[in-house]
């Protein structure tokens, strides 16, 4: 029997407009599931139940009073949570840290403003690790975020709570953010489709700076169409943003309905991180995706490694400096996670010339890499080098070993944060243990439309929507 949370967000929005389902029904359904099941998966750090019901009642009234419901905003009445690295006015804002457990948001991030303008209902704030620094979601503020496919394993990070919510049927779609793989990593671990957009496609302001251009907001969803719809809502340049993405012809949602044509696709599974070894299950997913792409008529070409291990230390330099951006009083330093303190110490020891040298080295590498990458419509990699990791696999280690394990776990994602190119996780494969194993497709700058069209074609050829973890029917 179809349950409310079986509906896609696109279908929900249409059903709200026609009166087939009400925003109050949707909100009550998800709040009930969160109350009953979230303890198992650790998706939410804050649930805004009273606010959500108020917003849903108001949305329902707007539907009743609308002269033409077809003119309502694209996500009118659809519940959408916000990651706890993004500020929402009047809502608890922890940034995943024990330092900030008492902070209440005093403004809306631009992406939150756009979600609100689209008519969405705020279910709450999804869990994130401290300052979004690790590739897993564990800490002192909330229980670990777990993949519903195996509750002993991590949902990934830093958008781990967002992915756990969507994969468990505790939200239809979710907003995430990605500075080194933080949308694609949990999307892979939870069997979801996630998009890291082109740099500058979605505004980081007004609270979060985009100084290095590594991080961006983006959608996490069960279907390509839902992710494309959410990206349409999120996308937009705002005054003060340092970066602007190339314009797109039409909507992203329209690309999900377009055949991609015959594409030229590069592929490589050689990791940039020294010591990283790609697990056989991740190789199998990569090879199966390559075969499927060829069956669909695309040209798939092996290419040498574009970004080498010499770039890893430069990215690490910027990551350590980014860890220092969030202010922490001296008296509160002891409240930070060991990994955060270790990264901040590295960042604080970095001189201004070293930051400029790291930027210069990365830009120099990109000048050489773009002419090679731009010969192709897309580039295929494994999303991760390993299947979803057990809870504690990273977090229970000393900081240096923790960080090394993270690098070996995710040696492919960060290169596209460095370049600013769009990249997606496509959930095409599950291993013999029933764990999702994603593949990553990256595109040209401004090429989200091509990735969406190609991903929709893959989704049609090998549908994944019928795969559901046990918690889905609970």
């Amino acid at each position: 029997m179809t349950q409310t949370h079986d509906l896609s967000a696109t279908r929900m929005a249409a059903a709200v407009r026609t009166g087939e389902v009400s925003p109050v029904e949707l909100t009550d359904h998800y709040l009930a599931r969160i109350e009953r099941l979230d303890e198992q998966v650790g998706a939410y750090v804050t649930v805004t139940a009273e606010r959500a019901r108020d917003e849903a009642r108001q949305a329902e009234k707007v539907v009743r009073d609308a002269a033409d419901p077809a003119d309502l905003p694209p996500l009118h009445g659809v519940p959408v949570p916000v990651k706890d690295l993004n500020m929402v006015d009047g809502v608890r804002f922890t940034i995943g840290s024990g330092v900030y457990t008492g902070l209440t948001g005093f403004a809306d991030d631009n992406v939150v403003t756009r979600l609100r303008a689209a008519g969405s209902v705020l279910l709450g704030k999804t869990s994130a690790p401290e300052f979004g620094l690790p590739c897993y979601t564990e800490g002192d503020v909330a229980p670990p975020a777990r993949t519903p496919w195996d509750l002993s394993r991590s949902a990934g990070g830093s958008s781990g709570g967002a992915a756990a919510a969507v994969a468990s049927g505790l939200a239809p779609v979710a907003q995430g953010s990605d500075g080194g793989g933080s949308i694609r990593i949990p999307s892979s671990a939870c069997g979801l489709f996630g998009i890291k957009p082109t740099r500058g496609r979605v505004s980081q302001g007004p609270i979060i700076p985009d100084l290095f251009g590594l991080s961006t907001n983006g959608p996490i969803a069960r279907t390509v169409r839902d992710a494309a719809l959410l990206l349409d809502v999120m996308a937009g340049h705002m005054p003060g943003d340092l970066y602007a993405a190339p314009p797109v012809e039409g909507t992203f949602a329209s690309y999900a309905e377009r055949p991609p044509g015959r594409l030229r696709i590069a592929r490589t599974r050689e990791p940039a991180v020294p010591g990283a070894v790609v697990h056989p299950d991740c190789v199998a997913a990569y090879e199966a995706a390559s075969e499927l792409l060829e069956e669909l008529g695309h040209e798939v070409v092996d290419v040498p490694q574009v970004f080498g291990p010499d770039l890893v230390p430069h990215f690490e330099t910027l990551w350590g400096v980014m860890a220092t951006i969030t202010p922490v009083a001296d008296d509160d330093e002891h409240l930070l996670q060991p990994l955060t303190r270790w990264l901040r110490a590295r960042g604080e020891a970095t001189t201004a010339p070293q930051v400029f040298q790291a930027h210069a080295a990365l830009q120099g590498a990109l000048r050489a890499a773009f002419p090679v990458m731009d010969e192709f419509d897309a580039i295929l990699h494994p999303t991760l080098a390993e299947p979803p990791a057990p809870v504690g696999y990273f977090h229970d280690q000393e900081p240096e070993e923790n960080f090394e394990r993270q690098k070996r776990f995710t040696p492919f994602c960060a290169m596209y944060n460095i370049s600013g190119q769009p990249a997606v996780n496509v959930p095409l494969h599950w291993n013999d243990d029933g764990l999702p194993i994603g593949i990553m497709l990256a595109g040209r700058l401004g090429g989200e439309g091509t990735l969406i069209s190609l991903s929709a074609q893959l989704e049609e050829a090998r549908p994944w929507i019928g795969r559901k973890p046990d918690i889905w029917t609970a």
Side-chain angles (χ1 to χ4, degrees):
M1 184 176 67
T2 299
Q3 303 181 80
T4 299
H5 58 281
D6 287 321
L7 300 175
S8 69
T10 303
R11 178 73 181 87
M12 282 182 191
V16 166
R17 291 189 194 94
T18 62
E20 181 182 347
V21 67
S22 80
V24 172
E25 289 177 69
L26 290 176
T27 299
D28 284 344
H29 177 82
Y30 280 106
L31 289 174
R33 282 186 63 81
I34 291 166
E35 183 177 3
R36 192 169 69 250
L37 302 171
D38 186 50
E39 187 177 352
Q40 297 181 46
V41 294
Y44 287 86
V45 63
T46 301
V47 179
T48 54
E50 184 176 345
R51 174 174 175 157
R53 290 191 173 101
D54 286 345
E55 291 181 356
R57 285 191 289 267
Q58 179 60 30
E60 190 164 303
K61 181 179 184 301
V62 170
V63 174
R64 287 198 306 267
D65 296 345
D68 184 356
D71 294 333
L72 291 172
L75 288 176
H76 187 81
V78 177
V80 181
V82 170
K83 184 177 175 180
D84 203 32
L85 298 186
N86 292 84
M87 188 179 286
V88 178
D89 189 20
V91 177
R92 182 181 181 226
F93 181 46
T94 76
I95 328 177
S97 176
V99 173
Y100 286 98
T101 52
L103 178 63
T104 297
F106 50 82
D108 283 340
D109 273 355
N110 288 336
V111 69
V112 174
T113 300
R114 296 187 70 87
L115 287 169
R116 192 190 307 282
S120 68
V121 172
L122 178 69
L123 284 173
K125 302 295 289 295
T126 55
S127 296
E130 193 161 62
F131 305 162
L133 295 171
C135 70
Y136 59 92
T137 304
E138 299 169 45
D140 295 332
V141 176
R146 303 171 185 270
T147 175
W149 297 94
D150 179 347
L151 294 173
S152 72
R153 294 178 182 262
S154 172
S158 62
S159 305
V166 176
S168 303
L170 307 186
V173 290
Q175 169 267 340
S177 58
D178 190 318
S182 290
I183 286 172
R184 292 157 289 159
I185 294 164
S187 293
S188 180
C190 293
L192 301 169
F193 183 74
I195 304 175
K196 184 203 86 69
T198 297
R199 176 179 293 146
R201 180 71 68 205
V202 181
S203 174
Q204 286 289 91
I207 308 300
I208 303 172
D210 50 8
L211 300 177
F212 295 154
L214 296 177
S215 186
T216 181
N217 293 280
I220 295 175
R222 293 167 56 224
T223 73
V224 174
R225 284 164 179 79
D226 279 1
L229 173 63
L230 189 52
L231 182 56
D232 278 321
V233 166
M234 290 180 170
H237 182 78
M238 296 293 288
D241 293 343
L242 291 182
Y243 305 96
V248 174
E249 180 182 338
T251 65
F252 292 114
S254 71
Y255 281 92
E257 311 301 330
R258 302 183 195 179
R262 187 172 191 268
L263 303 180
R264 190 163 187 255
I265 300 171
R267 72 168 202 160
T268 178
R269 61 178 177 89
E270 186 176 353
V273 173
V277 177
V278 182
H279 189 280
D281 290 344
C282 301
V283 174
Y286 168 84
E287 294 294 351
S290 300
E291 292 174 8
L292 177 57
L293 288 166
E294 290 184 326
E295 289 174 14
L296 293 170
H298 303 295
E299 179 187 7
V300 180
V301 180
D302 285 296
V303 293
Q305 188 181 60
V306 178
F307 297 104
D310 54 314
L311 298 187
V312 175
H314 301 304
F315 180 82
E316 290 183 34
T317 295
L318 299 186
W319 204 249
V321 173
M322 285 176 65
T324 70
I325 290 175
T326 306
V328 178
D330 291 344
D331 291 346
D332 289 336
E333 285 280 345
H334 70 283
L335 297 173
L336 295 173
Q337 295 289 308
L339 176 69
T340 306
R341 290 199 300 271
W342 181 77
L343 285 169
R344 284 169 68 90
R346 292 185 66 173
E348 288 162 356
T350 302
T351 66
Q354 288 172 327
V355 173
F356 283 118
Q357 288 162 7
H359 261 303
L362 293 174
Q363 185 181 17
L366 291 174
R367 290 186 189 279
F370 271 120
V372 177
M373 295 189 292
D374 284 347
E375 291 293 316
F376 301 94
D377 299 293
I379 306 172
L380 170 69
H381 306 275
T383 301
L384 299 171
E386 302 171 26
V391 171
Y393 174 74
F394 308 107
H395 190 63
D396 293 348
Q397 308 303 312
E398 292 298 315
E400 189 166 0
E401 173 62 17
N402 177 335
F403 196 60
E404 287 301 315
R405 288 189 179 195
Q406 291 187 63
K407 286 161 53 182
R408 294 193 295 268
F409 180 70
T410 176
F412 300 103
C413 288
M415 66 180 72
Y416 296 109
N417 298 90
I418 293 169
S419 70
Q421 293 165 260
V424 301
N425 176 76
V426 188
L428 286 175
H429 189 79
W430 271 252
N431 69 8
D432 291 341
D433 294 324
L435 295 172
I437 310 289
I439 59 100
M440 181 168 65
L441 290 164
R444 297 188 180 99
L445 286 169
E448 292 98 322
T450 298
L451 294 181
I452 288 168
S453 292
L454 177 57
S455 298
Q457 184 186 52
L458 292 169
E459 182 181 28
E460 183 177 6
R462 296 286 189 276
W464 57 75
I465 195 67
R467 289 184 177 269
K468 297 168 184 173
D470 290 342
I471 198 173
W472 190 266
T473 55

